[in-house]
Amino acid sequence: MTVALRVLLVEDYEDDALLILRALRRAGLDVASLRVQDAAGLTAALSHTWDVVISDFSLPGFSGMDALTLCRASDGQVPFILLSGTVGEETAVAAMKAGANDYVMKDNMARLAPTLLRALQEAATRAELRRTELKLIESERRFHAFMDASPIIASIRDGNGHTVYGNRGWNDTVGHAADIPVARTTSDQVVLATGMAAESIEEINRPGAAPTYWKNIRFPFVGAAGQRLIGEFSTDITTLKQSEETIRKLAYLDVLTGLPNRRLMIDRLTHAMASCVRRGIYGALMLINLDNFKVLNEVHGHAAGDIVVQQSGRRISECVREQDTVARIGGDEFVVILEGLGKLAVDVAIDVDAIGRGILQAIAEPYLLDVTSHKLTASIGIAFFHDQQHSPEELIKRADLALGNVKTAGRNNQLFFDPAMQARVTLRNTLEADLREGLAQNWFALHYQPQVDSEGRLTGVEALMRLAHPVKGLMMPNSFITLAEETGLIVDLGYWALDTACRQLQDWAQNSATAQLTLSVNLSARQLGDDDFVPRVLALVAATGIDPSRLLLELTESLLLDEIELTIDKMTILCEAGLRFSLDDFGTGYSSLSYLKRLPLHEVKIDRSFVRDLLGHVNDAVIVRAILAMGQSFGLSVIAEGVETIAQRDFLIENGCRRFQGYLFGRPVPVEMLELGNTVAA
Ligand code: C2E
Ligand code: CA
Ligand code: CA
């Protein structure tokens, strides 16, 4: 049994309605119909379901267009066919634009059935499409709801790296910070359950201050349009990473100080040793023990002990470089690992000694406890690592032995395990102490070496410094000037020498036999660098009332290398005040002639190395001749130093040299031993 076609007729003429039904039945359609003729009737009828509405165009007080509007308002989909007897096609077309499905002219009723069937067919197709569309929308909606409800952060990127999909989790988290991963920590190939190869990546990104860690799984797949896409599932693993970090810290860091513990120290030491051995440079291990820490704990309590330990840990850290390790390995025991120290044992020993002394000093500063302050000292044992490989344990044992020696010797000090290294720093430290004491006790003296003309007559002297040590005897400048420069003691020592020299000139000025003599004093870089240098020298000259042109200041080329402009300024001021400058050790430096010309010089001294080999090496003879020629053309006085033989002097004279200094004419001697009989103005 076929179901009758439900047809709603909007028609005021019963006859026309019958004509319509007849036309349909004639076409073999089984029709169940209802006829309405006004708005009220139509509205009531539209509460039922109809397969098709056939409406007359003109109705009394109502029109086909009105009927169409009502139909579309109640059910947008029902096929609507307009029947027209009077109006032209234009009006019908306008009706179709307004939503009618088709129209049939009343005088062509035979077209009605086919038109209706076509309209029904179209409606069915539309309905089917709509159903599919709804299904798709529903499927899409379900997918979004599902993905958005998921704790996973999901996104899809196209081949150009543009994100084409991101779920809610993605939008809320990675989305706004997307594509700015700061670091990729690990990356592995993983195979998904589908058998697809994917990449598992851990990334850090920092949208704000705190790092956020992501675990991402990326996998390629092909999209609906055959497009290659990259899917990504991400999870925020920050909490996991933080717990890992906490666990790591607990395992490797000392809780009280936050410094590496013994375990991490051994690890770092192992690495440091390997690296130093490989690079052929020194490293050092320092074992630091707080002296009488037990007593502090007993008297002030453990809380106070903790404060002291924390503070000393901090103080030790401030004494070393960023790359060095400070560890706490026991109650009051610290370890410092110094890496990459250098290749020269002497320098290394001295550097480490200085660092150790810095630590001893820092620890000796008072500690503020609750109400009181407390003072304490430390002992340090030091072992070096270099080319031969020991185990870290062996090295710690060595540092511990050295530490034991410090303790037996009375604590508050440091010692090296290696006796040769120890000897070096001890020597240096003793020498430094000698220099300080020498300054305080007036152990320094100036000796004077004659400078003569070609006739052998005395024109001046060079002042050379000596340290008359009460026990060690006379010490020569080569053994202490470098250290005096490194420690800065040279500044005070230099002022002392200048002061002594000026007094000597003042003394000689009283006597006509010596009034013409010049006096040369050596300067070192640190002295010239001193801001007070110029005013102090000028004050000295004024105070002693000497003729400033009698005082020659000797400097070396290397001294001129730093801050050349400032140095030239200072020299110029002194020159304008009448003092003179001599360029010492000339020929050994690298100065260009143009640069020399800018210096306000009075004299150059041919270095004694050229004079020594003058007769043996052709090169040296050439250099000496060149210096003499240059001196002449620049209007500089040239003096040869280190002249030891008559042959050397004769060669120099032959080549135009007129002034000499050297053992041939006299060694540096105390002032009372100078022979002042045969003097002449230079
Ligand atoms: P210098 O300025 O080149 O001094 C010349 C050095 O050569 C002196 O050594 C002198 O004793 C030595 N000498 C002189 N004639 C001869 C010779 O014929 N043959 C040999 N072989 N040597 C000779 P000295 O006194 O040991 O001084 C060494 C260096 O110490 C000086 O080299 C100078 O650079 C530095 N010095 C000495 N006194 C002072 C000072 O007061 N201040 C500063 N900053 N440095 C000084
Ligand atoms: Ca000199
Ligand atoms: Ca010299």
Side-chain angles (χ1 to χ4, degrees):
M1 198 187 87
T2 54
V3 179
L5 194 66
R6 289 160 300 183
V7 179
L8 179 60
L9 298 172
V10 186
E11 179 59 77
D12 53 339
Y13 286 112
E14 171 109 54
D15 288 354
D16 282 357
L18 288 173
L19 268 173
I20 294 166
L21 292 174
R22 194 179 307 143
L24 295 179
R25 291 199 177 110
R26 193 173 291 153
L29 294 170
D30 180 12
V31 173
S33 70
L34 175 70
R35 181 173 70 91
V36 295
Q37 43 190 327
D38 52 22
L42 178 60
T43 310
L46 282 173
S47 61
H48 301 283
T49 308
W50 300 100
D51 293 316
V52 63
V53 177
I54 301 172
S55 175
D56 195 2
F57 187 79
S58 52
L59 298 149
F62 189 51
S63 78
M65 292 304 267
D66 295 335
L68 177 61
T69 312
L70 277 175
C71 281
R72 289 290 170 253
S74 75
D75 173 6
Q77 301 311 310
V78 65
F80 188 99
I81 294 169
L82 204 61
L83 213 55
S84 159
T86 50
V87 291
E89 294 230 352
E90 267 172 42
T91 318
V93 168
M96 284 193 70
K97 276 192 184 148
N101 293 71
D102 215 334
Y103 71 94
V104 175
M105 302 304 273
K106 275 190 178 168
D107 57 8
N108 194 4
M109 254 344 188
R111 266 199 64 214
L112 181 62
T115 303
L116 184 138
L117 284 173
R118 192 174 65 233
L120 282 176
Q121 186 60 50
E122 280 171 9
T125 311
R126 258 201 315 279
E128 182 61 31
L129 270 174
R130 174 113 189 98
R131 266 194 302 280
T132 314
E133 194 179 16
L134 283 173
K135 259 192 209 158
L136 270 174
I137 290 170
E138 166 57 17
S139 158
E140 175 89 355
R141 205 194 58 75
R142 199 193 307 118
F143 166 74
H144 277 287
F146 175 65
M147 292 307 281
D148 288 349
S150 159
I152 274 182
I153 294 157
S155 62
I156 299 172
R157 275 179 295 134
D158 65 15
N160 301 321
H162 299 304
T163 304
V164 293
Y165 169 77
N167 71 347
R168 177 175 299 159
W170 183 86
N171 274 310
D172 290 350
T173 53
V174 202
H176 42 86
D179 303 326
I180 51 158
V182 168
R184 179 178 280 211
T185 50
T186 54
S187 176
D188 305 305
Q189 284 291 112
V190 294
V191 176
L192 296 182
T194 56
M196 192 163 26
E199 212 186 355
S200 168
I201 299 156
E202 278 185 15
E203 278 176 347
I204 315 174
N205 70 28
R206 287 171 219 265
T212 313
Y213 297 89
W214 298 103
K215 171 126 188 131
N216 308 320
I217 294 180
R218 287 181 190 156
F219 49 93
F221 67 100
V222 178
Q227 197 187 6
R228 246 187 91 83
L229 297 169
I230 306 287
E232 178 167 313
F233 291 137
S234 310
T235 36
D236 181 346
I237 52 165
T238 309
T239 339
L240 185 74
K241 283 284 170 187
Q242 281 165 350
S243 333
E244 274 176 19
E245 178 67 9
T246 313
I247 292 166
R248 200 186 62 78
K249 278 187 183 160
L250 286 176
Y252 289 109
L253 297 185
D254 168 51
V255 181
L256 183 60
T257 58
L259 294 171
N261 61 13
R262 174 182 280 271
R263 209 154 130 197
L264 185 52
M265 182 277 287
I266 297 279
D267 197 53
R268 298 256 178 98
L269 181 59
T270 311
H271 278 109
M273 288 172 78
S275 148
C276 284
V277 167
R278 194 176 57 244
R279 294 159 63 198
I281 52 176
Y282 278 93
L285 177 80
M286 292 180 152
L287 213 57
I288 306 169
N289 209 199
L290 304 181
D291 295 333
N292 302 313
F293 183 69
K294 247 176 148 177
V295 179
L296 166 82
N297 262 338
E298 278 159 16
V299 175
H300 294 279
H302 284 274
D306 283 356
I307 294 176
V308 169
V309 166
Q310 281 173 330
Q311 288 191 15
S312 19
R314 219 169 298 143
R315 292 180 191 184
I316 295 170
S317 302
E318 279 164 15
C319 292
V320 300
R321 302 160 306 173
E322 193 89 27
Q323 69 260 42
D324 299 323
T325 295
V326 177
R328 178 177 176 234
I329 60 163
D332 61 338
E333 278 182 278
F334 294 92
V335 160
V336 173
I337 302 167
L338 299 168
E339 278 187 67
L341 287 170
K343 291 192 180 192
L344 277 176
V346 191
D347 296 346
V348 169
I350 285 157
D351 287 351
V352 172
D353 181 65
I355 294 169
R357 273 192 286 169
I359 292 173
L360 289 176
Q361 233 169 48
I363 288 181
E365 293 288 315
Y367 294 83
L368 294 173
L369 303 181
D370 270 354
V371 278
T372 50
S373 85
H374 186 80
K375 286 199 90 167
L376 107 169
T377 56
S379 301
I380 308 181
I382 301 167
F384 291 93
F385 45 96
H386 179 41
D387 47 2
Q388 80 242 74
Q389 249 169 324
H390 311 287
S391 66
E393 288 73 21
E394 169 66 19
L395 202 72
I396 294 168
K397 214 184 281 170
R398 291 174 167 215
D400 200 35
L401 266 167
L403 180 63
N405 291 340
V406 178
K407 286 185 176 166
T408 356
R411 303 169 200 269
N412 188 21
N413 203 353
Q414 60 178 349
L415 281 175
F416 294 163
F417 170 82
D418 181 49
M421 295 286 240
Q422 185 60 53
R424 282 175 176 132
V425 295
T426 306
L427 202 70
R428 182 189 151 104
N429 291 344
T430 316
L431 183 59
E432 188 180 335
D434 284 344
L435 292 183
R436 289 184 193 279
E437 198 167 5
L439 260 172
Q441 308 285 341
N442 229 346
W443 290 347
F444 285 96
L446 288 185
H447 282 193
Y448 299 94
Q449 186 176 30
Q451 296 176 333
V452 301
D453 65 10
S454 36
E455 251 88 286
R457 290 171 302 190
L458 189 68
T459 61
V461 294
E462 176 177 5
L464 294 157
M465 199 181 280
R466 305 290 181 255
L467 172 56
H469 195 280
V471 179
K472 298 173 187 165
L474 199 64
M475 292 164 68
M476 303 305 270
N478 285 339
S479 68
F480 61 78
I481 290 289
T482 311
L483 184 63
E485 280 171 343
E486 279 170 18
T487 53
L489 281 167
I490 194 71
V491 176
D492 284 344
L493 215 47
Y495 285 130
W496 170 84
L498 277 166
D499 190 72
T500 310
C502 287
R503 280 170 212 297
Q504 190 56 63
L505 277 173
Q506 187 186 31
D507 198 35
W508 283 337
Q510 313 304 315
N511 188 329
S512 62
T514 51
Q516 311 297 316
L517 292 176
T518 60
L519 204 166
S520 298
V521 178
N522 292 284
L523 292 184
S524 73
R526 288 286 284 262
Q527 287 177 266
L528 253 184
D530 185 37
D531 288 339
D532 286 343
F533 185 72
V534 171
R536 276 186 78 163
V537 171
L538 292 177
L540 195 57
V541 170
T544 49
I546 58 159
D547 173 357
S549 68
R550 302 282 139 207
L551 186 61
L552 262 89
L553 302 177
E554 288 196 3
L555 10 103
T556 56
E557 289 168 85
S558 58
L559 181 154
L560 296 165
L561 292 180
D562 299 342
E563 305 205 65
I564 174 72
E565 299 304 329
L566 195 65
T567 306
I568 292 180
D569 287 351
K570 288 183 177 181
M571 287 173 72
T572 308
I573 298 174
L574 292 172
C575 238
E576 280 163 2
L579 285 98
R580 290 169 167 182
F581 285 94
S582 171
L583 195 56
D584 205 353
D585 303 343
F586 188 66
T588 57
Y590 299 96
S591 5
S592 68
L593 287 182
S594 63
Y595 154 100
L596 278 177
K597 240 191 136 168
R598 298 183 54 208
L599 301 173
L601 292 176
H602 171 73
E603 172 189 90
V604 292
K605 291 184 96 168
I606 303 175
D607 189 65
R608 68 171 180 277
S609 62
F610 302 119
V611 175
R612 184 185 58 217
D613 300 325
L614 203 52
L615 301 160
H617 294 96
V618 179
N619 276 351
D620 291 333
V622 171
I623 290 171
V624 167
R625 278 200 201 100
I627 295 174
L628 285 164
M630 185 214 72
Q632 203 157 39
S633 59
F634 279 19
L636 294 171
S637 174
V638 181
I639 180 166
E641 68 175 351
V643 182
E644 293 183 352
T645 65
I646 295 174
Q648 287 168 344
R649 187 204 52 185
D650 289 349
F651 181 96
L652 287 160
I653 288 180
E654 266 169 42
N655 286 284
C657 187
R658 295 288 171 266
R659 301 182 54 238
F660 312 90
Q661 179 183 340
Y663 293 169
L664 181 63
F665 313 100
R667 294 186 175 245
V669 288
V671 70
E672 57 277 6
M673 288 172 68
L674 263 183
E675 287 175 26
L676 300 168
N678 185 15
T679 63
V680 71

